[in-house]
Amino acid sequence: MALDPITMLTLSIALAAAAALYLAIEWRSVREPSLLFWSAGFATISVGCVLALLRSKGILLVGIWFANGLLVTAHWLFLQGVARFTQARLSPAWYLIFAAWAGLLLLPPAPWWSNAMLLANSSLVALLMLRASALLRPLGQSLSVGAVQLRYVLLAHGVFYIAKAVTAVMPGTLLDLASFRGEIIQVSLVEGAMAIMLIALSMTGSERHRREQRIEQLAARDPLTALYNRRALEVRASGLLAEASVAQPGALLLIDIDNFKLVNDLFGHTAGDRLLVALSEMIRAALPEGALAARLGGDEFLILLRATTVEQVVALSGRLRDQFGRAAAQAFATPAAVTLSMGANLFDQPPASLAALIEQGDAALYASKRGGRDSIRLVDQTQARQAG
């Protein structure tokens, strides 16, 4: 089968329609806005290619101006999808692209009309694709492997359209959009079909990678507080525990809410959940750099600190107890104060396991509760080792 313009347009229609359908199905399952924009973009390309076939019937306004306008619209939708994917804000000035395209209707009929149309079309598409590629540019680290791939595909697509724009203004370049004559038009049809495939695959890969990351994050997080759960903590704690040394001791801090049952009994479990969320936000705000925080279950929380001191652990404990105690007293009037008891363990050698370290912290925590609650009991194993 010869790769003539009609054949290439028909192939592009099929590829774009398939990509639009697939991305629409993906959107229905995950409701990611970027998928909807990308699906609409491919659907627009499919319709535009259908209209382009009307050139052979002599319907030039629809087959050229309107069809190429839909091509610009499709790439504008791709840019909008990338903006949603990267959570970037686009200026309303990007809508002026449609005004610029509409202005082409004012061009008088002339031999250079096809060149002017190709120049405008190529410049607008190139501008849209280069902006989309720039939004995906890694800042410090890439958004994802799929996003990096998509960035370079869009960049290459934009550069190709820059080359088309340059070709359109080169002396001696003769084009006839009505009959698809001119080498640049032939090459453009082939590139268009290839671009549809590559862009669709890259977009799908980007969203799939993001979805897998979200699933992994959800599996690692406590659903109520969004802190790490115990399983995720065990995976991430090994590196921190291994760093413990005499010069840079580590510390484990166990936190338990005193009289938490009173809040649930008097105000309901929803109120108790709000209190757990409030405490998790306080912990997250007070967490030093490089530390880990987790909810072990119920009303018990854990903080792992690196390169710390007794004074720093006590100061962190005091800030959390004061802040939480005031917030709980203001929100819930209970017969007994809702406070925090804490048990801490300072160590300067990697412990046998996280479980063993938690067990030692539990002993300190229960000593705090037996001692009257709203306090901290700290076991300084570095001093004990030095004394021994």
Side-chain angles (χ1 to χ4, degrees):
M1 181 175 61
L3 296 179
D4 58 274
I6 302 301
T7 299
M8 292 308 303
L9 281 173
T10 303
L11 179 61
S12 296
I13 292 168
L15 290 172
L21 179 61
Y22 179 77
L23 291 171
I25 292 172
E26 286 282 291
W27 175 79
R28 287 194 63 184
S29 61
V30 299
R31 298 292 174 174
E32 180 64 39
S34 57
L35 286 172
L36 188 60
F37 278 94
W38 291 338
S39 175
F42 283 115
T44 303
I45 288 178
S46 186
V47 174
C49 290
V50 170
L51 296 182
L53 292 173
L54 297 178
R55 300 181 198 182
S56 60
K57 304 293 185 181
I59 309 175
L60 301 185
L61 178 63
V62 174
I64 298 178
W65 181 84
F66 202 88
N68 284 348
L70 288 182
L71 180 65
V72 173
T73 302
H75 287 82
W76 182 86
L77 289 168
F78 288 159
L79 173 60
Q80 295 294 324
V82 170
R84 288 345 184 250
F85 181 80
T86 58
Q87 298 180 343
R89 284 182 172 271
L90 289 175
S91 168
W94 286 99
Y95 287 92
L96 294 177
I97 281 178
F98 300 109
W101 184 256
L104 293 176
L105 284 176
L106 302 177
L107 291 177
W112 46 262
W113 186 86
S114 287
N115 293 63
M117 180 69 70
L118 185 64
L119 172 62
N121 175 272
S122 300
S123 300
L124 293 176
V125 171
L127 181 63
L128 290 163
M129 290 301 89
L130 293 178
R131 179 55 179 149
S133 177
L135 289 179
L136 289 164
R137 182 179 58 207
L139 300 175
Q141 60 180 7
S142 63
L143 294 170
S144 71
V145 175
V148 172
Q149 179 183 345
L150 177 59
R151 177 200 170 197
Y152 286 111
V153 169
L154 296 179
L155 178 62
H157 192 50
V159 169
F160 175 81
Y161 271 87
I162 290 177
K164 281 179 62 177
V166 172
T167 303
V169 296
M170 289 179 64
T173 301
L174 297 177
L175 299 170
D176 187 352
L177 294 177
S179 57
F180 298 106
R181 281 203 298 268
E183 282 190 13
I184 188 62
I185 296 178
Q186 307 294 323
V187 173
S188 183
L189 289 171
V190 175
E191 190 274 343
M194 294 177 59
I196 289 171
M197 289 188 294
L198 291 174
I199 293 174
L201 289 172
S202 300
M203 288 175 173
T204 303
S206 299
E207 283 294 350
R208 184 178 296 116
H209 184 88
R210 169 174 283 185
R211 192 182 319 143
E212 290 171 353
Q213 283 186 321
R214 287 177 178 173
I215 292 172
E216 183 179 349
Q217 290 172 357
L218 288 173
R221 298 286 179 174
D222 172 63
L224 177 64
T225 64
L227 295 177
Y228 286 127
N229 55 33
R230 179 152 187 166
R231 181 179 178 182
L233 176 69
E234 290 173 349
V235 172
R236 289 161 174 79
S238 57
L240 189 152
L241 297 179
E243 293 176 2
S245 65
V246 175
Q248 294 185 324
L252 175 142
L253 182 62
L254 281 181
I255 304 170
D256 188 86
I257 301 178
D258 302 320
N259 300 312
F260 180 66
K261 188 174 182 299
L262 288 176
V263 176
N264 283 331
D265 291 344
L266 295 175
F267 302 96
H269 288 279
T270 301
D273 287 347
R274 291 202 308 271
L275 193 60
L276 293 174
V277 171
L279 176 56
S280 70
E281 291 174 350
M282 295 174 194
I283 291 174
R284 194 177 290 109
L287 210 60
E289 183 178 356
L292 295 174
R295 181 189 177 199
L296 299 184
D299 59 334
E300 191 170 31
F301 295 78
L302 177 149
I303 297 176
L304 270 178
L305 303 168
R306 55 158 46 98
T308 190
T309 63
V310 170
E311 293 76 17
Q312 289 171 337
V313 175
V314 172
L316 174 62
S317 163
R319 287 198 305 273
L320 287 175
R321 286 188 292 111
D322 290 345
Q323 186 178 1
F324 180 82
R326 290 195 303 270
Q330 291 173 0
F332 306 107
T334 53
V338 178
T339 55
L340 296 180
S341 289
M342 301 186 182
N345 185 19
L346 197 73
F347 54 94
D348 58 9
Q349 289 186 0
S353 66
L354 177 63
L357 196 62
I358 292 176
E359 186 175 346
Q360 295 168 359
D362 268 330
L365 173 63
Y366 288 121
S368 171
K369 284 189 171 291
R370 287 194 300 270
R373 303 180 178 181
D374 190 20
S375 62
I376 181 173
R377 291 292 185 272
L378 189 146
V379 177
D380 187 351
Q381 291 185 314
T382 62
Q383 289 183 353
R385 190 173 292 108
Q386 290 168 6

